Amino acid sequence: MHLTSPSRRDFISQGVRLTAAGSLLAAGMSAAAPSPSSAVSPISAPPPRVDHYQLLNVRLEEGFERDGNDIIATRTALYDITVKDGKFAAIEAAGTARNADIAQWDAQGSLLLPRTRDMHIHLDKTFYSGPWQAPRPRQGKTIMDMIAREQVLIPQLLPTSQARAEALIGLLHSKGTTEARSHCNIDPVSGLKSLEHLKLALANHPEFPCEIVAFPQHGLLHSKVDGLMREAMQMGVQYVGGLDPTNVDSAMQASLDAMFQIALDFDRGVDIHLHETAPSGVAAIQYMVDTIAKNPPLKGRVTLSHGFALATLEGKTLDKMIAGMAEQQMSVASTIPIGKLTMPLPQLQAAGITVMTGTDSVIDHWSPFGTGSMLEKANLYAQLYRGSDEFGLSRALHIATGGILPLSNQGERQWPKVQDDANMMLVEASCSAEAVARIAPVRATFQRGTAVFSA
């Protein structure tokens, strides 16, 4: 019989404090399995990997509760979950099938959610983990002024860029994120050093899969880095980046053609920063759609990051642009900006376009506001797109997890399933809706069953 969920007041007052005997969250994981006659063992520190264990008393969502046609709550119950070789091996009602011959830890009712993904971040250049430093005033500054500022900063950041990237990975783990896509500067100031340092940082964290975008931050044509970009491809970078082809390179078609040619020559994807909101931004998106149509190897492999020009369109003009992007299977990476313009993210998704989100800057010379939390991005998505009810809040989680949700729209459990990869986080919340609305604290994060963070 399933254990019923406590009231919200009882749950919050109880919290997710785990006992000294078997506290995954309070003390990590231990490779030593208790004997069949013993209680769950005390835990000292998390080992590099435990291949076979049970998480006891994990809260999973079971369905929606309704008042007439309205979804008013989420029903949950407690389960014991067995993880083996990085996958969910068994999911059973709490207390019904415990195996004291393997390691066990008590989650004490923490809610299990899918891990999150940060699909637009700059791990290579950050003030994070160093002394507080606010960005310089931006009023009256152009993007070229910001690039000039960066040319001074990059040499100052390079000596510590690997260590700071690793610190950022730790922050992301603490927020429930286990994978990312990082843009990495390819510019005349740093050459390939930023990329070399980032690759060293990632090599020290094999539990953090991360795609890299070679990013010509100072302009692909403006800074004459076509050769460096091609060297970056030879170093195994997965994506060719680009930046504002009109405002920075002053040659929209030539800039985009050069970017796409590198992608075609090396059989790579594209992920371009496009901040332009003037008609030039709309023209750039249309040119990308047309170029992909003429070059089938690019179809399904181009991500538009930011794409603020889409927020300037409406009606049939917007519909036509979205239809073209959908036909070429473009994706969009948005930080879910707040301001005068609101991105048409729901319309993009309704057309079948994959929409991802990311931190962008945690703290650097562009912005000081990033927290590294994708739950925060889901919260912002819910606020901007009118998702304040139980159903809307629970659906908003998709933007943070890459589309994975515990419950289907019909309220049937679809995650986790046996044999799914055990990429997950335990949070201090009673359900997904609360986790999104309150940006719930993360108590533990797992990549393929391995604990990469525990509070």
Side-chain angles (χ1 to χ4, degrees):
M1 181 176 68
H2 292 176
L3 300 180
T4 57
S5 59
S7 70
R8 181 163 298 201
R9 175 180 295 180
D10 290 342
F11 178 80
I12 295 302
S13 64
Q14 179 185 10
V16 292
R17 295 189 304 273
L18 304 191
T19 60
S23 165
L24 166 66
L25 305 183
M29 299 175 68
S30 168
S35 66
S37 60
S38 70
V40 180
S41 294
I43 299 166
S44 54
R49 183 173 182 85
V50 176
D51 291 324
H52 194 191
Y53 62 89
Q54 283 188 316
L55 286 179
L56 311 180
N57 300 313
V58 170
R59 186 167 306 282
L60 295 181
E61 296 184 345
E62 293 207 308
F64 294 126
E65 295 183 4
R66 303 173 187 270
D67 182 1
N69 293 326
D70 294 332
I71 292 171
I72 60 169
T74 302
R75 187 174 67 258
T76 66
L78 298 182
Y79 287 80
D80 296 335
I81 292 179
T82 303
V83 175
K84 186 175 182 181
D85 298 329
K87 296 182 179 292
F88 295 111
I91 303 168
E92 297 158 305
T96 61
R98 293 182 176 175
N99 181 0
D101 290 326
I102 61 174
Q104 295 178 329
W105 295 278
D106 190 349
Q108 291 257 322
S110 297
L111 178 69
L112 193 74
L113 293 179
R115 58 82 186 106
T116 58
R117 305 189 309 163
D118 193 322
M119 299 305 286
H120 187 107
I121 191 170
H122 296 261
L123 293 173
D124 66 309
K125 51 180 184 182
T126 179
F127 297 159
Y128 183 74
S129 79
W132 163 252
Q133 190 175 168
R136 300 284 180 89
R138 290 282 298 273
Q139 188 172 0
K141 300 290 196 304
T142 67
I143 191 169
M144 301 311 294
D145 294 326
M146 294 298 292
I147 288 171
R149 169 68 180 149
E150 184 166 295
Q151 289 170 342
V152 175
L153 274 175
I154 289 294
Q156 300 171 14
L157 294 173
L158 271 175
T160 58
S161 66
Q162 178 184 339
R164 293 190 185 209
E166 293 192 52
L168 261 186
I169 291 170
L171 174 69
L172 297 182
H173 276 158
S174 76
K175 302 296 184 178
T177 291
T178 66
E179 60 185 82
R181 180 184 295 180
S182 177
H183 296 255
C184 182
N185 262 41
I186 305 295
D187 59 66
V189 179
S190 62
L192 296 172
K193 288 295 183 184
S194 291
L195 177 58
E196 291 169 3
H197 292 184
L198 177 58
K199 287 177 71 69
L200 288 171
L202 293 174
N204 286 340
H205 296 273
E207 75 289 347
F208 188 75
C210 180
E211 300 170 334
I212 300 177
V213 184
F215 178 43
Q217 172 72 83
H218 304 170
L220 179 56
L221 303 184
H222 177 75
S223 61
K224 300 182 174 73
V225 291
D226 187 282
L228 284 173
M229 291 284 287
R230 290 173 178 275
E231 288 186 57
M233 297 302 111
Q234 292 171 344
M235 293 172 64
V237 169
Q238 292 93 340
Y239 287 86
V240 181
L243 174 69
D244 296 346
T246 299
N247 287 352
V248 176
D249 278 342
S250 302
M252 186 262 283
Q253 292 188 18
S255 179
L256 294 178
D257 284 346
M259 177 189 70
F260 281 125
Q261 192 60 55
I262 298 171
L264 289 167
D265 289 347
F266 288 89
D267 192 26
R268 303 296 158 81
V270 167
D271 190 328
I272 177 174
H273 285 63
L274 186 67
H275 308 95
E276 299 169 10
T277 55
S280 62
V282 176
I285 298 173
Q286 186 61 59
Y287 190 79
M288 284 187 262
V289 170
D290 295 341
T291 300
I292 299 167
K294 296 172 185 175
N295 296 274
L298 295 171
K299 188 171 184 177
R301 303 177 72 183
V302 176
T303 297
L304 177 66
S305 280
H306 303 305
F308 298 144
L310 292 172
T312 69
L313 302 178
E314 57 185 12
K316 292 183 179 178
T317 305
L318 176 61
D319 293 342
K320 183 178 179 181
M321 182 67 81
I322 290 177
M325 293 173 64
E327 184 176 356
Q328 302 311 323
Q329 298 174 15
M330 293 178 69
S331 56
V332 172
S334 175
T335 58
I336 316 179
I338 53 176
K340 294 180 181 179
L341 297 174
T342 300
M343 289 290 292
L345 302 186
Q347 295 96 310
L348 291 165
Q349 292 169 311
I353 293 172
T354 297
V355 176
M356 305 171 284
T357 191
T359 296
D360 203 355
S361 304
V362 169
I363 175 171
D364 59 17
H365 68 292
W366 297 90
S367 171
F369 297 118
T371 66
S373 171
M374 294 301 99
L375 277 179
E376 182 180 64
K377 294 297 182 180
N379 173 284
L380 183 55
Y381 183 96
Q383 291 192 60
L384 281 176
Y385 303 109
R386 300 181 181 179
S388 61
D389 58 283
E390 185 85 3
F391 182 76
L393 287 165
S394 74
R395 301 302 88 184
L397 181 65
H398 83 277
I399 199 73
T401 63
I404 303 172
L405 292 173
L407 298 180
S408 70
N409 288 345
Q410 293 72 39
E412 298 172 348
R413 186 194 300 144
Q414 58 188 8
W415 181 93
K417 293 180 179 177
V418 171
Q419 289 306 305
D420 283 349
D421 286 342
N423 299 327
M424 55 189 175
M425 59 180 177
L426 287 163
V427 302
E428 187 177 345
S430 60
C431 61
S432 294
E434 183 180 18
V436 169
R438 308 310 304 161
I439 311 177
V442 175
R443 294 311 184 197
T445 305
F446 303 79
Q447 170 65 14
R448 284 189 52 83
T450 297
V452 294
F453 166 77
S454 60

